[in-house]
Amino acid sequence: MTITAVILAAGQGTRMRSATPKVLHSLLGHPMASYAIESARQVSGAKPVLVIGHAQDEVRQVLGEAVEYVVQEPQLGTGHAVMQAKSKLEGKSKLVLVTYADMPLISTESLNKLVGAQRSHIGPLTMLTVIAQNPRGFGRVVRDEQGNVKEVVEEAQATPKQLEINELNSGVYCFDADWLWQALDEIQLSSKGEYYLTDLVGIATSHDLSVQALVSEDCDEVIGINTRVHLAEAAAILRKRINESWMLSGVTLIDPASTFIESSVTIGQDTVIWPNTYLQGDTNVGQGCVIGPNTIINNSQVGNHCKVLFSILEKAVVEDNVDIGPFGHLRKGAHLAEGVHMGNFGEVKNSYLGPGTKMGHFSYIGDTTTGTDVNIGAGTITCNFDGKNKNHTDIGAGAFIGSDTMLVAPVEIGAGARTGAGAVVTKRVPPNTLAVGMPARSIKKLEKSD
Ligand code: UD1
Ligand code: MG
């Protein structure tokens, strides 16, 4: 039975007090809307339809091809928003799932349960409700004497007695599609000048059709974000969920409260993460690593048994058994092969450090390729930028770069060569040769050492 998901995102979000559209505000590194889109996509197995209106160009630009768009202009309420999808979707699927882009924490499991419940229900809709002491301005679910759902009343229209009801409308529904597209025409304009989607509950029961409520056990799931306070609350819940799931799959978090792992990240078993660590974007960390404290790893791949201490990695690749830090900075295109050691205050950009290479202290390596087992002495700098171009440095296997060497690129250091402390290398040093001075001169051929 086919399902289409319709996600409402046309509202203005005035209470965010922001130039950024509400649904694009970042929630743990991703636009808020992307969470609702992903869970709806998983349930329906297809691109959801996103109803947009306010700041639609920006929304399209950020969310791109992840959804199909329908425009609601002007925005006359949640019922009106769903009406806009009718011409696109009528006759296309058996069921329609409706969720909100500003409700990011709703889980795929709950949506699946909702769809499952509607599949075996004879009535035209199943709604997700929640029992909560704090009503947060949600609509109240009114039931009759037999306990059957009768209608939903919005807080503004509720009587004092109805305001006491603690079963709330989450705003997430699964509809029989044929019924939905017809019944939408029956919604009347409210006193506030809006078409309320919630009216469909009363419309169904007034035709003696049964409305089923699936009561969620998790109030957190249906947190709708209207303000930045709600955004922070949602971020804390999401973070806790992600952290707990990694701990249960074998990752140690020394202090989960100060550990920030985005939903797109993966971490191998027996890795230990120290406080104030941020794992962001397309980042994968292997097994048995020790990461942090005070580390940011962004869009990077880290192998097994690595140590990263007080460091920042951006768009970098780190193979197994590498140790970095304290205070290392890997920038875009840094690739550290197996067993590399990169100590205090090092920076590597767009470079490959071959297996076993050691770079202990205070060095900048940019646009460089090294062979295996190179030693880069303290304070070595690749002078890679001549004011116009970025130039390449090549360092052969087993080379030993003396402390404070300036490698003025483009330049090549042959395999097994050495540079003296403070050398300023402006031209090629042949293999197994010692070069010293400023500019460095090759002074002797080196004896082969074993
Ligand atoms: C709605 C429900 C309420 C429920 C609550 C749960 C209605 C009338 N009320 O109220 O019963 O408890 O959600 O959060 O449905 N939107 C549009 N176009 C519009 C208006 C809204 O796309 O014209 C979108 C908004 O961007 C938002 C969502 O629909 O994502 C909900 O709208 P909102 O105005 O926040 O409804 P609530 O007052 O929260
Ligand atoms: Mg709302």
Side-chain angles (χ1 to χ4, degrees), residues 265-278:
V265 169
T266 66
I267 312 168
Q269 210 172 315
D270 290 320
T271 283
V272 177
I273 301 189
W274 286 81
N276 277 330
T277 291
Y278 299 75

Side-chain angles (χ1 to χ4, degrees), residues 15 22 100 102 138 224-226:
R15 282 175 285 167
K22 173 163 84 173
Y100 299 161
D102 63 2
F138 278 26
I225 294 175
N226 296 318

Side-chain angles (χ1 to χ4, degrees), residues 8-11 72 75-78 100 102 138-139 154 169-170 196 198:
L8 308 192
Q72 183 198 19
Q75 289 95 47
L76 299 178
T78 48
Y100 299 161
D102 63 2
F138 278 26
E154 291 308 296
N169 173 30
S170 72
Y196 290 160
T198 44

Side-chain angles (χ1 to χ4, degrees), residues 319-358:
E319 296 185 21
D320 296 348
N321 301 307
V322 167
D323 86 278
I324 300 170
F327 313 113
H329 188 182
L330 295 190
R331 291 167 51 208
K332 190 176 171 192
H335 182 160
L336 275 45
E338 166 136 29
V340 166
H341 164 68
M342 178 184 160
N344 307 270
F345 302 100
E347 176 179 341
V348 176
K349 186 218 76 177
N350 192 31
S351 295
Y352 174 79
L353 301 193
T357 290
K358 308 265 179 292

Side-chain angles (χ1 to χ4, degrees), residues 389-405:
N389 299 310
K390 298 284 167 65
N391 298 302
H392 194 81
T393 299
D394 244 304
I395 306 177
F400 185 100
I401 311 297
S403 294
D404 242 344
T405 295

Side-chain angles (χ1 to χ4, degrees), residues 400 402 405 413 417-421 423-425 427-430 433-437 439-444 446:
F400 185 100
T405 295
I413 308 288
R418 290 177 85 99
T419 66
V424 177
V425 182
K427 55 178 192 248
R428 176 173 179 266
V429 177
T433 301
L434 172 64
V436 299
R441 302 159 286 127
S442 298
I443 56 166
K444 67 168 181 186
L446 293 164

Side-chain angles (χ1 to χ4, degrees), residues 133-148:
Q133 296 322 311
N134 174 4
R136 297 176 76 100
F138 278 26
R140 308 299 201 273
V141 179
V142 180
R143 291 180 179 257
D144 65 16
E145 298 77 42
Q146 285 81 47
N148 298 317

Side-chain angles (χ1 to χ4, degrees), residues 152-232:
V152 171
V153 270
E154 291 308 296
E155 189 166 270
Q157 276 92 38
T159 63
K161 191 113 191 75
Q162 287 170 333
L163 286 176
E164 286 169 20
I165 297 172
N166 62 7
E167 184 176 11
L168 311 175
N169 173 30
S170 72
V172 180
Y173 321 83
C174 185
F175 294 98
D176 174 274
D178 292 342
W179 181 83
L180 170 68
W181 302 127
Q182 302 319 309
L184 282 169
D185 295 338
E186 292 187 43
I187 300 179
Q188 305 290 314
L189 207 57
S190 76
S191 54
K192 282 180 113 188
E194 290 193 10
Y195 295 93
Y196 290 160
L197 188 60
T198 44
D199 282 2
L200 290 180
V201 175
I203 289 169
T205 58
S206 70
H207 291 293
D208 287 329
L209 298 169
S210 111
V211 172
Q212 181 174 228
L214 185 73
V215 186
S216 164
E217 285 137 29
D218 181 2
C219 296
D220 289 348
E221 270 201 273
V222 297
I223 285 186
I225 294 175
N226 296 318
T227 67
R228 296 186 203 229
V229 175
H230 299 153
L231 183 64

